[in-house]
Amino acid sequence: MDTNRSRPQLSRRRILKGAAVAAVPSVLFPDARAGARTAVDYPAAEWQPATTANYTSSDRPATYAVDRVVIHVTQETYPDTLAIFRNAQKAVSAHYLVRSADGHVAQCVREADVAWHAGNWGYNTRSIGIEHEGWVDQPEYLTHALYEQSAKLTASICARYGIPRDREHIIGHYQVPGTDHTDPGPYWDWVRYLRLVNFA
């Protein structure tokens, strides 16, 4: 550190300028929390980040092409799923979580990063994972709001990555090679969902 430099003198003008800047509303100079609101890839989503221990940082699609959307059902409630994604001991995450009651969308992992949702590294690298609050054997969780908002999200993802809006590219977790999962389960209405995705 250079201690021989002379210290700047505070003039009345400098003091007044500083006071003026301090008086400017925070709208003009947003705080750090504003960045969190704009961190989402899907504008209708709320940022609810998973712990960085539960996904792999990447730069997709530069590092891996994205050509699939994987549909999941959580087997947990919405708040419990968010808690699991924030727990480094769980080693699991998804890019998005859709709430049953109102279709509210949370983004938990940036699309550029590799979420750990499919149980298959190759499918994790090439897909966006969407979890839906509910249980595979409880169809009451599959509400109209959930289907509608999830379909809008999937349509947006497909548009951004050039993914065809069909069952070959929008798949259930049970279709991932090597998985022992059955979600989204027998009550998931694929015909309805694909129709909503294609008309979104």
Side-chain angles (χ1 to χ4, degrees):
M1 179 190 301
D2 185 1
T3 57
N4 294 328
R5 286 186 151 171
S6 61
R7 297 169 77 184
Q9 297 295 319
L10 286 180
S11 68
R12 183 171 186 263
R13 184 174 183 171
R14 274 191 190 216
I15 292 169
L16 290 174
K17 274 186 176 179
V21 168
V24 172
S26 63
V27 173
L28 298 178
F29 297 102
D31 64 14
R33 289 172 293 173
R37 289 193 298 274
T38 60
V40 295
D41 295 302
Y42 178 61
E46 172 189 17
W47 183 238
Q48 290 285 339
T51 178
T52 56
N54 287 351
Y55 63 87
T56 301
S57 293
S58 189
D59 187 24
R60 300 185 315 164
T63 51
Y64 302 101
V66 176
D67 66 0
R68 295 279 186 282
V69 176
V70 180
I71 302 298
H72 303 265
V73 168
T74 61
Q75 298 297 105
E76 293 287 347
T77 64
Y78 178 90
D80 285 352
T81 302
L82 290 176
I84 288 168
F85 290 170
R86 291 179 181 137
N87 182 342
Q89 302 302 310
K90 298 294 185 177
V92 68
S93 63
H95 294 95
Y96 295 97
L97 171 62
V98 182
R99 191 163 55 205
S100 173
D102 57 4
H104 179 77
V105 177
Q107 182 168 2
C108 304
V109 176
R110 295 298 306 265
E111 290 177 9
D113 296 325
V114 179
W116 300 346
H117 62 95
N120 173 312
W121 178 247
Y123 272 72
N124 281 343
T125 63
R126 68 190 299 187
S127 65
I128 302 292
I130 305 175
E131 286 280 3
H132 298 82
E133 178 185 26
W135 283 262
V136 295
D137 59 349
Q138 297 180 39
E140 61 272 18
Y141 277 90
L142 304 178
T143 64
H144 177 70
L146 178 137
Y147 274 116
E148 187 174 59
Q149 296 309 312
S150 176
K152 288 178 183 177
L153 169 60
T154 295
S156 174
I157 292 165
C158 289
R160 280 183 274 121
Y161 294 96
I163 300 171
R165 300 178 188 196
D166 60 29
R167 283 288 285 120
E168 185 179 335
H169 297 88
I170 303 169
I171 64 172
H173 191 180
Y174 72 94
Q175 293 174 273
V176 173
T179 188
D180 61 354
H181 288 252
T182 62
D183 59 305
Y187 296 108
W188 185 265
D189 189 339
W190 283 106
V191 172
R192 175 185 182 187
Y193 189 67
L194 267 290
R195 187 181 308 123
L196 288 168
V197 169
N198 279 285
F199 284 106

